[in-house]
Amino acid sequence: MTDTFTQALAHLFTLQSLSYLTLGTGIGLLFGAIPGLGGTTALALLIPMTFGMQPDSAIVLVGGIMGGVPFGGSVSAILLNTPGIAPNAATCFDGYPLARKGKAGMAIGAAATASALGGLVGVGVMLAVIPIAKAIVLLFGPPEFFMLGVLGLSAIAVSTGGKLIRGLISGGFGLILAFVGFDEVGGGLRYTAGIEYLWDGVQLVPVLIGLFAIAEMIKLMTMGGRVATGASASSLGNVMAGVKAVFKNITTLLRGSAIGASIGAVPGIGGTVASFLSYTFTRQISKEPESFGQGNIQGVIASEAANNAKDGGSLIPTLAFGIPGSAEMAVFLGVLVLHGFEPGPRLLLDHEDIIYGLIMALSLSCVLASVVGLSISRYLVMVTRVDVHYLAPVVISIALIGAYALQSSFGDVVVAMVFGIIGYFMVRFDYPRITLVIALVLGGIVERSYHQSLMMSGGSHGIFFTRPVADFLLVLIAISLILPLLRLLLHRFRA
């Protein structure tokens, strides 16, 4: 093992490998920052290009892309309230308010540091867990997926910032959207109104682009001015303050990384669930939960740490069993197969050098992406000082192009525009958008897992209460619902 690790390390630090790593990181940053593209699109486009490459060089290029995408998405989320990829939506909630206050540099500094450290923690978790990966992955079945989804939905009660009724209305709307399209369990179409585009359901990325990017640009155009409105808008931001904030909140970083790595290891869940769970859990246990959504740096740290750490977790089922932990990992499986590798236990035994090369490339790419982001952040922050009447048309155009590029579907463009208008009215009438997104992401998972669980048990609901992992998640659900009530009672008692 030591010899293999040393050989992989020596290969990585050659001029050719470092060139591929730098190229991959740059591509990842670019595709991550453009709304609607992301790592899945980047990898899909580059698969043919890797055909003539040596396998180890192709793996280094892929590792660079996967490491660069999350931070690229956080830049647009912070500066323009436009999540580059779906998991960066949670970064918008506090990153963009910081930019509005003229602290975009601080938010980018925190995001860069949390991304790098979170990615390293995720890779470390992968290295530690590989020997027992099979046992961990097999612990999760439909009942556990159901409880995990319900745990995420319970966050609606604590993520509304005192607007519980409005938050529940938004969450209910999100659940309705989650049930649109073909019923995977019972069969048949639901709520499609005869529109063929809706057969596959309401797509998440166009919804996010509309709710955050287009809605915010509409709002800014009605107000005028520029993104940064705070007293410090004339400065280019204190980047180092954001870096220091991460180390001051090291517990938040480690907790977010642990959540990201854990959720990433569960096939089919993905980084969006990981980042939202990390964000809402951090808000829930905070002494100042009302400050989240107003520019609390802990919100940025929690979501970005989880977002990057999930890649290390996703590699566990992908490499150990050939089960992709996310859509990005599914495309990565295609790269492995293209170069003659069969994902599964034999890959870990026969090609350790490839595995360690990927791990080190992913680790170094996380750091490299953050270093590049920090070095140019003072120039990126200048975007927040551009007059919105010049900025908004550019952002809306890029957002709509990104929505179309996702599946080359004009229907995605229409969805983005419709939800841009809906998002604007939600902002205007103070309805929280986070609850809609949480419900939309988790609604399908909860419904599908619920029906699969009942099929397994012959219709008995006891299956949800007789499995250790499901019981543990049930306890967490109870705590998440009771904690806000206890905090309210304690606050009244002190008053």
Side-chain angles (χ1 to χ4, degrees), residues 466-480:
T466 56
R467 297 163 67 103
V469 176
D471 291 340
F472 174 72
L473 293 172
L474 181 62
V475 171
L476 292 182
I477 292 169
I479 293 174
S480 70

Side-chain angles (χ1 to χ4, degrees), residues 29 71 75 108 112 368-378 380:
L29 285 169
F71 177 64
V75 172
I108 291 177
L368 181 60
S370 297
V371 170
V372 171
L374 289 173
S375 63
I376 64 174
S377 60
R378 293 184 178 275
L380 294 174

